[in-house]
Amino acid sequence: MQILKNFATKAGVELSWEMSHLKDEFIRNIKETVGEDHVIGAVSGGVDSSVAALLMKEAIGDQFHAVMVDNGLLRL
């Protein structure tokens, strides 16, 4: 962990953010961006699309419509 901190510091990254605030920031940004519109999101079953779908659902509820995409790589 110290290696990552050293790298970020040398790269000029501000170390003031906290992971606990990141989720709230994403949800707020989604709400502001979407407004009253509806959103369709493709979910492949992987971690990235599943987390994105969860954040969308928490942010805009029934305005989010997930579509499962079978890319042939799903685990049984």
Side-chain angles (χ1 to χ4, degrees):
M1 190 59 121
Q2 187 62 42
I3 292 172
L4 291 175
K5 185 175 181 180
N6 290 344
F7 175 79
T9 304
K10 294 277 186 197
V13 175
E14 187 176 329
L15 304 177
S16 62
W17 64 275
E18 292 184 31
M19 185 61 84
S20 60
H21 300 288
L22 198 55
K23 178 183 170 188
D24 295 333
E25 183 179 334
F26 281 138
I27 289 174
R28 185 177 61 254
N29 287 340
I30 292 168
K31 287 180 180 180
E32 290 174 2
T33 301
V34 173
E36 297 298 319
D37 292 333
H38 285 249
V39 176
I40 297 173
V43 181
S44 67
V47 173
D48 295 341
S49 65
S50 297
V51 169
L54 177 66
L55 287 170
M56 294 294 286
K57 192 66 175 177
E58 285 191 34
I60 59 173
D62 291 339
Q63 291 171 256
F64 177 67
H65 309 280
V67 177
M68 184 64 176
V69 176
D70 184 354
N71 59 12
L73 301 173
L74 292 172
R75 296 181 188 146
L76 297 176

